[in-house]
Amino acid sequence: DATSSVTGIASGMDISIGGLSDLMAQAQGTADADASTVSGQATALAAQQSMGIEDLEMLVSSDSDLSAISSVFGGANADSTANRADADMEFDATGIDGISMSIGGIGSLASTASVNGSADASSVSDMAQASADMDATGINDAHLFSSSDGDISGTAVIDATVNSINIGTESIDKAFAFGDFDAEGITELELGVGGVASLIGQAQVTVDMNASSVQGKAEANSAYNDNILESLNQITGLGNVELDGASVGSITGMAIGDFTTTADSVSEDASASAAQSMRGIENLNLDLGGSGTINAIVNDTSYVSASSVSGNASATASVDAIGLDGGDIHIAGDATIVASVNAQSDAVASTVG
């Protein structure tokens, strides 16, 4: 069911606490779909949304410790002997989407969102198509103020496997594997800290995709969206952040990608492509009253391979990677700023005929 969802703390909550606060919200969804047939078309759709906290207003007079965990697990599997097979996986996890907090003491907030699954389609005599649309966001739309120290972290993790395999009887019996994968650690954050500030946002995406056909074409595209002409996987550690800190501060944004995209055909053309847009920290507006440390890190590995025995083969790998991108930074004391990008892309195409 495309509308299936789980929520830890639903929208509209207003919480006021006169002393110490320790609050934890967790939402975990599981979606599995299996379809198998001999003569008919096999179609499997696994769709699930998960939300840790949505639109929360909170007032805490003393120290506060808040954590949110949102996760989705599952997959789609479709098998057909004499007809087409389609497996589609649509997962979306958000740790916190909308929060306003005022904390009279030390504030600690940690949020994690993760999606993990596989889509597998196989057909003996017809087309096989496997797809995934996966999104993970640690923290989105947060307004936080802490009178003392503030420690904020948001993590987004995607782990996906997409496989399409067929034998086919003619050239139009294609094996097609595709997907769109977007992850953000923290985005749209307004943060005020009266003491020491610590902010960490991390987004990590791992994708293993393969399309394989004997008689038909094989195509694998790990950055494909039906609604976007030129799709990119968007992976951002920290995005659109405003931080006003009275003392020292440490800010870290990390974007990590690991993509393997392969396509192979015996009789027809094979094509494989991957494209990522990576940002460690994007649009940081910072004002610190003491010293500051900024680490903006991007690590991306992409291997793309296409091979054909009798047809043509094409492989394309592209990445747009920036460690620290945009913003306005003011640090009253000493400053250490590190922007690091390590991107390795390999595209290999081979053909015999």
Side-chain angles (χ1 to χ4, degrees), residues 176-179 209 219-224 233 259-263 271-276 302-306 314-318 347:
F176 188 21
F178 64 94
M209 178 176 292
E219 180 181 354
N221 189 335
S222 59
Y224 180 90
N233 296 308
F259 290 79
T260 301
T261 311
T262 61
S271 64
S273 59
Q276 291 85 251
S302 181
Y303 175 74
V304 180
S305 173
S314 64
T316 305
S318 64

Side-chain angles (χ1 to χ4, degrees), residues 99 101 103 107-109 139 141-153 186 188-200 238 240-246 249-251 284-288:
I99 187 170
M101 288 189 71
I103 303 165
S108 177
L109 187 152
I139 301 173
D141 189 20
H143 306 270
L144 309 171
F145 176 77
S146 176
S147 297
S148 185
D149 299 345
D151 188 347
I152 312 298
S153 66
I186 299 176
E188 304 297 339
L189 170 66
E190 182 181 5
L191 177 61
V193 179
V196 177
S198 175
L199 176 63
I200 301 174
L238 288 173
N240 298 324
V241 171
E242 293 188 12
L243 171 54
D244 187 353
S250 175
I251 297 94
L284 171 64
N285 294 300
L286 176 65
D287 192 345
L288 287 179

Side-chain angles (χ1 to χ4, degrees), residues 37-99:
T37 179
V38 175
S39 58
Q41 180 174 337
T43 302
L45 169 63
Q48 182 73 55
Q49 295 180 342
S50 177
M51 179 72 66
I53 297 174
E54 184 176 17
D55 294 332
L56 173 66
E57 293 189 11
M58 195 166 179
L59 175 64
V60 182
S61 298
S62 185
D63 298 344
S64 172
D65 189 350
L66 187 149
S67 62
I69 300 173
S70 175
S71 57
V72 178
F73 301 91
N77 184 75
D79 298 286
S80 180
T81 301
N83 211 315
R84 174 173 173 155
D86 291 90
D88 182 25
M89 177 172 56
E90 300 175 5
F91 292 165
D92 188 333
T94 302
I96 297 175
D97 187 14
I99 187 170

Side-chain angles (χ1 to χ4, degrees), residues 6-338:
V6 291
T7 303
I9 298 178
S11 62
M13 290 288 293
D14 191 340
I15 301 174
S16 179
I17 298 173
L20 301 173
S21 172
D22 189 348
L23 176 63
M24 189 266 193
Q26 182 172 358
Q28 178 176 317
T30 302
D32 289 298
D34 292 282
S36 181
T37 179
V38 175
S39 58
Q41 180 174 337
T43 302
L45 169 63
Q48 182 73 55
Q49 295 180 342
S50 177
M51 179 72 66
I53 297 174
E54 184 176 17
D55 294 332
L56 173 66
E57 293 189 11
M58 195 166 179
L59 175 64
V60 182
S61 298
S62 185
D63 298 344
S64 172
D65 189 350
L66 187 149
S67 62
I69 300 173
S70 175
S71 57
V72 178
F73 301 91
N77 184 75
D79 298 286
S80 180
T81 301
N83 211 315
R84 174 173 173 155
D86 291 90
D88 182 25
M89 177 172 56
E90 300 175 5
F91 292 165
D92 188 333
T94 302
I96 297 175
D97 187 14
I99 187 170
S100 178
M101 288 189 71
S102 180
I103 303 165
I106 298 172
S108 177
L109 187 152
S111 179
T112 300
S114 62
V115 291
N116 188 311
S118 62
D120 298 281
S122 64
S123 175
V124 176
S125 303
D126 209 317
M127 177 178 180
Q129 178 172 295
S131 65
D133 184 357
M134 306 179 80
D135 298 280
T137 304
I139 301 173
N140 176 58
D141 189 20
H143 306 270
L144 309 171
F145 176 77
S146 176
S147 297
S148 185
D149 299 345
D151 188 347
I152 312 298
S153 66
T155 304
V157 179
I158 295 175
D159 193 340
T161 302
V162 183
N163 293 305
S164 176
I165 301 172
N166 79 330
I167 297 174
T169 58
E170 52 187 330
S171 61
I172 62 172
D173 296 332
K174 179 180 180 181
F176 188 21
F178 64 94
D180 183 42
F181 310 91
D182 300 320
E184 294 178 302
I186 299 176
T187 181
E188 304 297 339
L189 170 66
E190 182 181 5
L191 177 61
V193 179
V196 177
S198 175
L199 176 63
I200 301 174
Q202 178 175 327
Q204 180 173 337
V205 178
T206 303
V207 175
D208 190 345
M209 178 176 292
N210 173 257
S212 180
S213 181
V214 176
Q215 296 294 335
K217 293 181 179 180
E219 180 181 354
N221 189 335
S222 59
Y224 180 90
N225 189 313
D226 288 325
N227 301 317
I228 302 174
L229 183 60
E230 295 183 0
S231 179
L232 290 171
N233 296 308
Q234 306 284 341
I235 306 171
T236 304
L238 288 173
N240 298 324
V241 171
E242 293 188 12
L243 171 54
D244 187 353
S247 183
V248 301
S250 175
I251 297 94
T252 300
M254 298 179 63
I256 302 170
D258 187 355
F259 290 79
T260 301
T261 311
T262 61
D264 58 88
S265 175
V266 175
S267 301
E268 292 292 334
D269 297 345
S271 64
S273 59
Q276 291 85 251
S277 176
M278 315 276 295
R279 298 290 185 272
I281 300 176
E282 184 174 32
N283 193 23
L284 171 64
N285 294 300
L286 176 65
D287 192 345
L288 287 179
S291 61
T293 301
I294 300 174
N295 290 290
I297 302 167
V298 173
N299 289 317
D300 183 60
T301 302
S302 181
Y303 175 74
V304 180
S305 173
S307 63
S308 177
V309 176
S310 301
N312 299 315
S314 64
T316 305
S318 64
V319 61
D320 174 18
I322 300 176
L324 181 60
D325 185 18
D328 192 1
I329 297 173
H330 298 276
I331 300 174
D334 297 335
T336 301
I337 300 175
V338 178

